[in-house]
Amino acid sequence: MAPAPAPSLPALPVPTRKGRTVSLWLFGVLGFLLIALVGYFVWALGSVASIVGLVLALIPLTIVFLGVRLIDRWEPEPKRLIAFAIAWGAVAAVGLTLLVDTALTLLFDIRSEEFSAVVQAPIVEEFWKGLGVFLIFLLARRAFDGPVDGIVYGALVGAGFAFTENIQYFGLSLIEGGGEQLTVTFVVRGLLSPFAHAMFTAMTGFAIGLVARRHGSAGSAFGAGAVGLIGAILLHALWNGSATFADFFGLYFTLQVPLFVGFILGIVALRREEARLTRARLSDYAAAGWFTPEEVTMLATPAGRKVGLAWAAQLRGDRRRLMRAFIKDATELASVRQRAITGRDPLAVDDERALLIRTRATRAALLAY
């Protein structure tokens, strides 16, 4: 019998990871901080409350993570950077915030809960969360292509921070008010406002992403991030102030919900711009003969990708996996070319060569009979 087409592609060159990842040593440092943080929660809340808070905090974290994945589907970020962003928010930002809050309390004897909620918390928390986004820009600039990437990294840092903070809030609610108070806290923080911290820090990420698209320096990214940080602080203070001084549910539906809807509409507009840019860059390759115009439409539009995957499913052996690889490599190729055009990627030539080889081999495997 004639052999069937190979189920997988032969070994192909891959784009270099240099400038697109963070060192494992940073995860090691975060691991030590995590041990200290776990010890703090067990000491402050006890084992039972900590475990209950942990389990419940996973629910809003999952909601936010799935939402961010939808934003990030067009050009997914490297998995290690996604893990680092969540870990920075959940471990480093929380730990550093606790240290600063403790120091401020000891030095200035700040006892006002209103001041802490509306002034201190927004400034301290957003600073440390924003620092995580800025570190990703510095360490993995080749994976920081624009505003959408900034929103993704900022939202993931915020989601990680909210996860750890929710453990504390849920655990304290269980200790102080039992199941009834825990239910109220979970509904307010876990179901009504799971995206709050993600939305705050996304402001900082968005500002840094604007600079990243224009090949900005670290200094210009820092300046833009500071402007975004001000927006994040103001949103955070507004949120906490509505819960402290005003009718929370009244402001929630009249102000917070419209802000969230506006945030979503802004992301949709940015996604469309990202798709337009992908199509423009792939059209450059089509003009040189690497893709057909029909392939560009298939690769650079949501409807075209859907049709392409449906077509690949009907091929012998269900070749959707190959089509997904074709789409992923072509999208990354468009990003590489955009970075090369702006002059912000010294490794663009090598990555371009590897991705062109990969897309050509994947197309051949898709069409093989």
Side-chain angles (χ1 to χ4, degrees), residues 92-158:
V94 171
L96 292 168
T97 296
L98 286 172
L99 288 176
V100 172
D101 287 345
T102 302
L104 290 175
T105 300
L106 294 175
L107 291 174
F108 301 103
D109 193 27
I110 299 174
R111 303 294 179 182
S112 171
E113 293 185 3
E114 292 80 7
F115 178 85
S116 297
V118 181
V119 179
Q120 180 177 321
I123 293 175
V124 175
E125 293 175 8
E126 294 307 323
F127 174 82
W128 292 119
K129 288 190 292 176
L131 180 61
V133 183
F134 183 64
L135 282 176
I136 293 174
F137 173 83
L138 291 180
L139 300 174
R141 192 174 303 189
R142 296 179 64 240
F144 212 127
D145 291 317
V148 174
D149 290 356
I151 289 173
V152 167
Y153 292 131
L156 289 173
V157 171

Side-chain angles (χ1 to χ4, degrees), residues 178-192:
E180 182 177 351
Q181 184 171 330
L182 174 60
T183 301
V184 173
T185 304
F186 175 75
V187 170
V188 172
R189 294 187 61 88
L191 300 181
L192 291 180

Side-chain angles (χ1 to χ4, degrees), residues 30 39 75 302 305 340:
L30 291 176
E75 185 203 354
R305 291 182 174 188

